[in-house]
């Protein structure tokens, strides 16, 4: 069954409790880091300071930098059927986080936020999370600029079976870009994944989804599920997409 994923940070706020109507909808909360990086005031300040719509780039840019209260808070807040989005900042963060997270909690690994440094992070620690068969979702969310060799490592070496294509696009001086400009990157990555790995993987595609035409575009290209991001600025539009699918 196809699912709509409400991408973080929108998944923190958009909750759909009526599963008779919204059963294909999955909220992704976070992104959570191991340590505290700011609360509500920090988040609101960075939104006001950095979130901008660019008519030139045809999308939203931000330099939020993953403000959050830390993983322990995220684990306390997560609800059943939600996905916890997590990101590592320091070298041993994955190891420490693996010890904190129950093996039944669904996860999305934000591996490419353009607004924080991941230089010291070791992907070799990611298999710590892949051994559990209790997780419904264990997703690698990757950069639109990821190279095939890095996809191969995540899929063939680490063992990911669910891939989110893709994260925001790095734009010099503006942070990460979301919106329609991501479509060619996401579509190209879908083609790469399907050509090399066939139907063995579940693909979550996102970037510029505003209507059913966009959904159809990604599904026809080979995606299994759809991620909703900037369209979530208009919750009524999101509801229309989900209910009238």
């Amino acid at each position: 069954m196809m699912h709509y994923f409400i991408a973080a940070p929108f998944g923190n706020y958009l909750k759909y409790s009526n599963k008779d109507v919204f059963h294909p909808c999955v909220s992704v909360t976070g992104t959570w880091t191991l340590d505290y990086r700011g609360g509500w005031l920090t988040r609101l300040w960075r939104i006001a300071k950095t979130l901008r719509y660019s008519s030139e780039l045809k999308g939203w840019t931000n330099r939020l930098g993953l403000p959050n209260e830390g993983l322990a808070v995220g684990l306390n807040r997560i609800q059943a059927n939600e996905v916890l989005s997590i990101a590592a900042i320091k070298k041993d963060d994955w190891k420490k986080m693996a010890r904190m997270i129950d093996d039944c909690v669904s996860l999305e690994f934000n591996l490419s936020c353009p607004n924080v440094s991941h230089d010291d992070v070791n992907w070799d620690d990611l298999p710590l999370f892949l051994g559990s068969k209790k997780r419904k979702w264990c997703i690698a969310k990757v950069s639109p600029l990821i190279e095939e060799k890095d996809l191969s490592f995540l899929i063939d070496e680490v063992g990911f079976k669910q891939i989110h294509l893709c994260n925001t696009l790095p734009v010099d001086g503006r942070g990460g870009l979301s919106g329609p400009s991501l479509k060619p990157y996401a579509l190209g990555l879908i083609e790469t994944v399907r050509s090399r790995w066939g139907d063995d993987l579940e693909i979550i595609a996102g970037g510029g989804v505003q209507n059913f035409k966009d959904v159809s575009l990604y599904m026809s290209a080979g995606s299994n599920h759809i991620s909703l991001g900037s369209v979530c600025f208009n919750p009524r539009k999101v509801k229309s997409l989900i209910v009238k699918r």
Side-chain angles (χ1 to χ4, degrees):
M1 181 180 74
M2 188 266 274
H3 288 80
Y4 284 104
F5 287 80
I6 308 300
F10 298 102
N12 294 326
Y13 318 111
L14 296 184
K15 311 289 185 180
Y16 299 96
S17 57
N18 186 347
K19 292 305 176 183
D20 290 335
V21 177
F22 297 109
H23 63 277
C25 185
V26 180
S27 292
V28 182
T29 72
T31 293
W32 304 97
T33 54
L34 178 65
D35 300 316
Y36 178 91
R37 290 177 61 85
W40 273 100
L41 290 177
T42 300
R43 190 176 300 115
L44 290 173
W45 168 247
R46 291 184 184 175
I47 289 172
K49 186 177 180 181
T50 74
L51 182 64
R52 299 289 185 271
Y53 181 79
S54 170
S55 56
E56 171 196 358
L57 299 174
K58 299 180 180 179
W60 291 88
T61 60
N62 80 82
R63 299 193 306 277
L64 300 183
L66 303 182
N68 70 96
E69 295 92 333
L71 178 60
V73 173
L75 289 169
N76 186 54
R77 291 182 183 171
I78 193 170
Q79 301 175 19
N81 301 317
E82 292 184 341
V83 175
L84 195 77
S85 172
I86 58 176
I89 306 296
K90 300 176 183 178
K91 182 178 179 181
D92 293 327
D93 280 1
W94 291 132
K95 291 180 181 178
K96 295 175 181 178
M97 295 169 98
R99 291 194 288 267
M100 295 173 63
I101 301 173
D102 190 275
D103 62 1
C104 66
V105 176
S106 288
L107 298 172
E108 179 177 84
F109 297 83
N110 186 341
L111 300 177
S112 59
C113 176
N115 297 312
V116 298
S117 173
H118 299 275
D119 293 343
D120 294 332
V121 177
N122 189 354
W123 283 7
D124 290 338
D125 296 330
L126 288 171
L128 292 170
F129 300 90
L130 272 292
S132 173
K133 296 182 179 180
K134 297 180 182 179
R135 302 191 203 280
K136 181 174 182 179
W137 304 104
C138 195
I139 306 160
K141 184 177 184 180
V142 302
S143 168
L145 304 178
I146 191 170
E147 297 181 4
E148 188 171 341
K149 64 179 179 62
D150 293 322
L151 276 173
S152 177
F153 180 82
L154 291 172
I155 295 167
D156 298 325
E157 301 297 326
V158 177
F160 280 106
K161 299 296 184 182
Q162 298 162 334
I163 306 291
H164 182 166
L165 308 171
C166 50
N167 211 332
T168 53
L169 180 68
V171 179
D172 289 344
R174 304 195 197 188
L177 171 68
S178 59
S181 296
L182 288 175
K183 286 182 182 178
Y185 295 93
L187 291 170
L189 287 171
I190 292 172
E191 181 179 3
T192 296
V193 170
R194 289 296 180 227
S195 295
R196 179 160 176 178
W197 289 280
D199 296 327
D200 292 340
L201 303 175
E202 282 187 272
I203 294 176
I204 302 164
V209 176
Q210 295 289 321
N211 50 50
F212 289 108
K213 183 179 179 181
D214 298 323
V215 172
S216 178
L217 176 68
Y218 283 131
M219 296 299 289
S220 298
S223 178
N224 302 99
H225 313 287
I226 298 296
S227 177
L228 303 178
S230 55
V231 69
C232 296
F233 284 120
N234 186 341
R236 289 189 177 182
K237 203 169 186 179
V238 175
K239 184 177 180 180
S240 177
L241 273 172
I242 296 167
V243 173
K244 298 179 182 179
R245 62 193 181 280

